[in-house]
Every structure is written in C-alpha cells, then in structure tokens.
Amino acid sequence: MKHQIAVFASGNGSNAENLIAYFKKNNFAQVGLVLTNNPNAGVIARANRLKTPVCVFSKKDFQDSNKILEVLNEYQIDWIVLAGFLLLFPENILKRYPNKIINIHPALLPKYGGKGMYGMHVHKAVIENNETETGITIHFVNEKYDDGKVIFQAKTVVESNDTPEDIAKKIHKLEYKWLPKVIEKQIKKGETL
Ligand code: GRF
C-alpha cells in the first residue's frame, strides 16, 4: 500500500498541485487528500482537476474538535505537508503525527518566520532589510509558527532591483524543485526507522 500524504493549504495551492502531480508518477506514495480552511482557496480547483479529494473545514472544527483527525484516519493518512497553510496546528493532530508533519516556509529560517510572516510579507521584509540572499526552509511542525527542526534549506540570490514579486518567483521555483524530493526522502527515511 502506498504511503498516504495529506496536504493542507489555505490559498493558491501551486505547491499542493506540484506535489499531487509528482506523486502521481510515483509508486510508493500519493497525495490522498487536500485540506483547506478557505472555501475560496485556489487549491480546491487544482485538486479537483487532478482528481484528488478535498476537505474544506472551519477554523473551529480544526482547533476545537477531533473532526480533522477523523477525516485523516478515514483516508489512512500517514504524512502531512503544509504548503501555504496559515493556521497554527493543534495539539491533538501534532500528537497523533509526531515527526510526520512538514511545512515549507519561503525564507531562510530562523530569519523571517513567525506569526504574520507569510507570502509577500516575507519577501517585502527581505528587501527592506537589504538581504543579498533568501531561500526556502522545509521543517518539521511543532506548536509554534515556523519553529520546528529544519530538514532542508536552499538559497537564491536577491538582486538589488528585485521586487517582492521577483523574489516570489525565485522562491516558487526552488519550492517546486525541492519540496517533493525532500518529502519523498523523508518518507523513505521514516520507513527504515
Ligand atoms: C509558498 O511560497 C510557501 O512557501 C508559503 O506559501 C506559499 C504558497 O504558495 N508557505 P502556493 O499556494 O503553493 O502557490
């Protein structure tokens, strides 16, 4: 049986789509479910197009009930990937999936992480601080924002005339290249533990 991955996303979902497509070509894992707290998220149409089930949930169900755990059980999910997911993960899910929940952050943590540091806010802050490089961080999720153990980082150059949109493009390129590979490697590593 293939390892089952659930992807949580709150927005556009291009990383979610890239993960679904990558694992469709793969015999040993698949994205079995996409979950979102945002009924208007672009990720819904992307998942539908790729025939991947979607669960839309409320913030209250996520934070104050076991409903999401029940859905994850129903789909026999064993790994969770957060790709542009904006809510803090609750304790009940963290406990059920120790070292099995992975986030992608669009900066070189510990820089430019924490509450409010997402999307364009991150890239604007990078420019305001005259950084000459930025990048992506793939890390385990714990009870704080952008705080768990780092699994992987990759860097890109920030040119002096780069706009936040230019940086977003460079970051997405890195994310599409590395996130599926790092997740695959991590699942394989988890198998042999
Ligand atoms: C990505 O840059 C990811 O690192 C961040 O949010 C962005 C989501 O983009 N956490 P998309 O929704 O996958 O297009």
Side-chain angles (χ1 to χ4, degrees):
M1 166 120 178
K2 287 185 182 184
H3 292 272
Q4 297 295 320
I5 305 166
V7 178
F8 283 70
S10 300
N12 179 29
S14 67
N15 275 288
E17 177 171 357
N18 184 50
L19 281 168
I20 296 169
Y22 179 90
F23 284 105
K24 270 189 189 291
K25 293 185 244 145
N26 187 306
N27 284 328
F28 104 113
Q30 71 171 14
V31 177
L33 182 64
V34 166
L35 299 101
T36 184
N37 59 308
N38 176 4
N40 302 313
V43 73
I44 297 173
R46 291 177 187 269
N48 286 339
R49 208 163 53 233
L50 292 170
K51 305 201 171 9
T52 301
V54 178
C55 168
V56 182
F57 57 85
S58 68
K59 191 171 170 184
K60 189 165 168 32
D61 280 350
F62 182 63
Q63 289 171 339
D64 304 329
S65 83
N66 282 323
K67 283 188 188 162
I68 305 304
L69 270 184
E70 285 161 18
V71 176
L72 296 172
N73 276 337
E74 187 188 328
Y75 283 86
Q76 301 185 328
I77 298 300
D78 26 37
W79 288 85
I80 295 176
V81 179
L82 315 189
F85 183 66
L86 298 181
L87 303 177
L88 206 54
F89 245 61
E91 203 186 317
N92 60 345
I93 309 181
L94 289 172
K95 273 204 177 135
R96 164 73 179 78
Y97 289 93
N99 291 325
K100 294 272 173 77
I101 309 178
I102 295 171
N103 181 44
I104 174 118
H105 186 77
L108 295 170
L109 292 174
K111 283 184 164 183
Y112 307 108
K115 196 168 165 51
M117 270 296 164
Y118 61 89
M120 285 298 168
H121 299 290
V122 175
H123 309 319
K124 280 180 190 153
V126 163
I127 290 175
E128 274 158 23
N129 286 298
N130 299 313
E131 298 284 358
T132 53
E133 61 178 21
T134 184
I136 60 168
T137 303
I138 299 171
H139 66 94
F140 288 115
V141 172
N142 66 12
E143 69 289 348
K144 295 187 201 148
Y145 281 110
D146 306 323
D147 184 67
K149 186 171 167 248
V150 171
I151 301 168
F152 175 88
Q153 292 187 309
K155 290 179 183 175
T156 185
V157 170
V158 179
E159 306 289 352
S160 55
N161 57 349
D162 272 350
T163 63
E165 289 74 19
D166 293 331
I167 296 182
K169 269 189 209 147
K170 293 181 186 179
I171 291 292
H172 267 123
K173 215 167 150 192
L174 285 180
E175 291 179 332
Y176 301 153
K177 176 174 177 193
W178 289 110
L179 184 61
K181 289 188 184 133
V182 172
I183 299 296
E184 181 175 8
K185 195 168 163 203
Q186 206 55 43
I187 295 176
K188 287 189 172 152
K189 206 169 151 192
E191 268 184 336
T192 56
L193 285 179

XYZ file of all heavy atoms in Angstrom, residues 11-16 83-84 104-106 171-172 175, ligand 1:
110
model
N -4.418 28.749 0.388
C -4.515 29.734 -0.699
C -4.440 29.131 -2.082
O -5.111 28.142 -2.407
N -3.563 29.722 -2.867
C -3.441 29.400 -4.288
C -3.190 27.907 -4.558
O -3.830 27.292 -5.395
C -2.295 30.277 -4.822
C -2.025 30.058 -6.275
O -2.915 29.708 -7.042
N -0.791 30.245 -6.674
N -2.245 27.326 -3.845
C -2.062 25.878 -3.916
C -1.190 25.369 -5.042
O -1.293 24.205 -5.440
N -0.292 26.208 -5.559
C 0.551 25.700 -6.649
C 1.531 24.643 -6.143
O 1.851 23.689 -6.863
C 1.286 26.838 -7.363
O 2.233 27.446 -6.528
N 1.988 24.770 -4.902
C 2.842 23.706 -4.340
C 2.050 22.426 -4.127
O 2.575 21.323 -4.352
C 3.458 24.150 -3.014
C 4.723 24.939 -3.220
O 5.752 24.382 -3.591
N 4.649 26.239 -3.021
N 0.812 22.557 -3.680
C -0.027 21.366 -3.495
C -0.187 20.641 -4.832
O -0.018 19.427 -4.926
C -1.394 21.768 -2.940
N 1.485 23.439 2.858
C 2.017 24.210 1.729
C 1.199 25.494 1.616
O 0.157 25.518 0.965
C 1.930 23.384 0.450
N 1.656 26.526 2.321
C 0.887 27.772 2.338
C -0.334 27.637 3.233
O -1.417 28.114 2.901
N 6.565 24.001 4.495
C 7.518 24.732 3.663
C 7.354 26.218 3.946
O 6.244 26.738 3.952
C 7.339 24.426 2.160
C 8.252 25.305 1.306
C 5.908 24.617 1.683
C 9.228 24.571 0.511
N 8.494 26.877 4.225
C 8.466 28.311 4.522
C 9.325 29.051 3.487
O 10.443 28.617 3.199
C 9.011 28.565 5.937
C 8.877 29.994 6.338
N 7.685 30.544 6.746
C 9.787 30.999 6.346
C 7.863 31.827 6.996
N 9.125 32.131 6.771
N 8.837 30.199 2.980
C 9.555 30.868 1.881
C 10.656 31.826 2.337
O 10.757 32.942 1.833
C 8.420 31.614 1.159
C 7.465 31.954 2.242
C 7.533 30.832 3.244
N 11.499 31.940 -5.383
C 11.189 31.036 -4.262
C 10.318 29.870 -4.748
O 10.563 28.713 -4.420
C 10.479 31.822 -3.129
C 11.450 32.800 -2.474
C 9.836 30.898 -2.110
C 12.577 32.185 -1.689
N 9.308 30.197 -5.543
C 8.439 29.126 -6.044
C 9.238 28.111 -6.871
O 9.010 26.909 -6.778
C 7.289 29.705 -6.879
C 6.058 29.951 -6.055
N 5.450 31.166 -5.951
C 5.330 29.122 -5.270
C 4.395 31.085 -5.151
N 4.314 29.855 -4.719
N 10.883 25.896 -4.518
C 9.902 25.045 -3.840
C 9.457 23.892 -4.739
O 9.385 22.741 -4.299
C 8.684 25.878 -3.407
C 9.034 26.851 -2.299
C 7.869 27.713 -1.853
O 6.949 27.982 -2.656
O 7.878 28.140 -0.688
C 4.734 29.289 -0.714
O 5.711 30.214 -1.039
C 5.027 28.612 0.618
O 6.360 28.570 0.945
C 4.348 29.508 1.597
O 3.210 29.990 0.942
C 3.397 29.943 -0.465
C 2.263 29.178 -1.043
O 2.224 29.241 -2.432
N 4.201 28.860 2.865
P 1.250 28.284 -3.202
O -0.137 28.449 -2.558
O 1.746 26.895 -3.070
O 1.235 28.769 -4.621
